[in-house]
């Protein structure tokens, strides 16, 4: 079990620690609902240093990224980030990721913790053009400072104008007394804020400064359980649940990051799927009655026939109703369609809705 540079800090704060993607990670501190509300209404901090970081450099860096990723990375300029995925050869997804253009011919790829080795090997296997690849995952930490008060709370510890950093843009500058920190207006919560990339040797100083600066704003440490409820309220896909090696980006509603203006891995088959229409789709649903949908529960039609399964589900802390994502045949995927979630012996009625669940 690996530790992040802040594991002992979390333990000292009384966090409940669990194994996650090979790391010892804080799942909660005070409780999921309290932590969820802190991020929705104030500001909270996640240690997500288990995430992977790859640097791809050189004159063929963009060529490699264009080959392995579904989005069009040629649109990136320095200081911009892009959500994308790595399609496999069989119509599924190796991983989803964020691509940062750091400077000309230098890109940072941020991948899911559970897929670091898989992603590295996959990208390397496609690198027949000689791009330089470096795995920085073991050396870097990542803090997500999320919530509507993040800008105001953090402005005192940087000379950068945080309010000027647009969504999916970033700067490399001073933060918490450390130079050359990536301050990125990205996150997995839907409540605004930043993700801060720094070296492992620097992250304790950053953490301490962040909590000192945020003290007057009610800042709290937030665990992975609230991260999951926050992302689900926005309908953000979680790799391993809602997308995996068997789900295509078209089925998963990720056509918007799948650009056929270029050739990439399996692009011809994905383009054909988009044109003819996917046979199944990832839907968002909310329960019409009390209940909590869980990953793996069956989705059934009005006659009790299984038509799909729940990929992510929870009781929404913000809305107070059961919400979830799942795959169903396209005929059941239209907004306002009626489906049922099999919760033990009960087929609980649910309605397909348009994302996000949480409108803010």
């Amino acid at each position: 079990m690996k530790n992040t540079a802040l594991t002992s800090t979390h333990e000292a704060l009384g966090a409940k620690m669990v194994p996650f993607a090979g790391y010892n990670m804080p799942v909660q501190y005070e409780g999921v609902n309290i932590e969820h509300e802190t991020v929705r209404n104030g500001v909270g901090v996640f240690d997500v240093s288990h995430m992977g970081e790859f640097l791809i450099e050189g004159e063929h860096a963009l060529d490699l990224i264009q080959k392995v990723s579904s989005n069009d990375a040629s649109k990136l300029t320095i200081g911009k980030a892009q959500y994308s995925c790595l399609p496999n050869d069989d119509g599924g997804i190796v991983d989803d990721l964020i691509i940062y253009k750091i400077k000309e011919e230098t890109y940072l790829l941020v991948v899911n913790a559970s897929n670091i080795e898989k992603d590295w090997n996959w990208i390397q296997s496609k690198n027949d053009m000689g791009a330089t690849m470096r795995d920085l995952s073991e050396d870097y930490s990542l803090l997500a400072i999320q919530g509507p008060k993040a800008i105001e709370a953090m402005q005192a510890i940087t000379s950068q104008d945080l309010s000027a950093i647009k969504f999916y843009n970033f700067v490399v500058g001073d933060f918490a007394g450390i130079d050359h920190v990536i301050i990125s207006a990205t996150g997995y919560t839907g409540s605004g804020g930043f993700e801060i990339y720094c070296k492992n040797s620097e992250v304790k100083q950053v953490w301490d400064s962040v909590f000192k600066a945020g003290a007057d704003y009610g800042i709290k440490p937030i665990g992975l359980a609230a991260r999951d409820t926050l992302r689900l309220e926005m309908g953000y896909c979680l790799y391993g649940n809602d997308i995996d090696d068997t789900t295509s980006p078209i089925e998963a509603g990720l056509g918007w990051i799948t650009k056929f203006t270029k050739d990439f891995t399996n692009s011809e088959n994905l383009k054909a799927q988009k044109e003819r229409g996917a046979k199944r789709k990832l839907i968002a649903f909310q329960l019409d009655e009390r209940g909590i949908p869980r990953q793996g529960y069956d989705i059934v039609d009005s006659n009790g026939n299984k038509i799909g399964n729940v990929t992510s589900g929870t009781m929404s802390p913000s809305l107070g109703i059961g919400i979830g994502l799942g795959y169903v045949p396209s005929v059941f995927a239209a907004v306002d369609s009626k489906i049922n979630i099999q919760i033990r012996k009960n087929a609980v009625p649910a309605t397909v809705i348009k994302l996000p669940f949480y409108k803010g």
Side-chain angles (χ1 to χ4, degrees), residues 108-121:
L108 181 71
L109 276 52
V110 179
V111 303
N112 285 299
S114 54
N115 292 335
I116 292 171
E117 186 178 1
K118 180 177 85 162
D119 292 357
W120 177 265
N121 292 339

Side-chain angles (χ1 to χ4, degrees), residues 94-106:
V94 179
D95 203 3
D96 61 338
L97 74 165
I98 297 180
I99 300 166
Y100 294 83
K101 185 167 185 177
I102 306 295
K103 50 190 179 190
E104 292 301 336
E105 301 184 352
T106 302

Side-chain angles (χ1 to χ4, degrees), residues 240-307:
N241 285 43
D242 317 302
I243 50 175
D244 59 31
D245 291 300
T246 69
T247 60
S248 89
I250 307 303
E251 294 172 336
L254 298 177
W256 62 281
I257 62 163
T258 310
K259 302 292 169 60
F260 300 110
T261 50
K262 59 162 196 171
D263 288 329
F264 58 86
T265 305
N266 206 35
S267 56
E268 281 190 22
N269 289 330
L270 291 174
K271 186 177 182 184
Q273 184 183 55
K274 185 172 187 177
E275 286 170 353
R276 69 172 180 266
K279 291 179 181 172
R280 63 171 187 164
K281 287 184 181 173
L282 184 67
I283 56 156
F285 65 85
Q286 59 188 39
L287 297 188
D288 300 335
E289 298 174 6
R290 285 197 64 79
I292 304 175
R294 300 287 186 198
Q295 183 191 14
Y297 284 8
D298 287 348
I299 302 175
V300 298
D301 65 14
S302 55
N303 296 316
N305 302 308
K306 180 179 176 180
I307 55 172

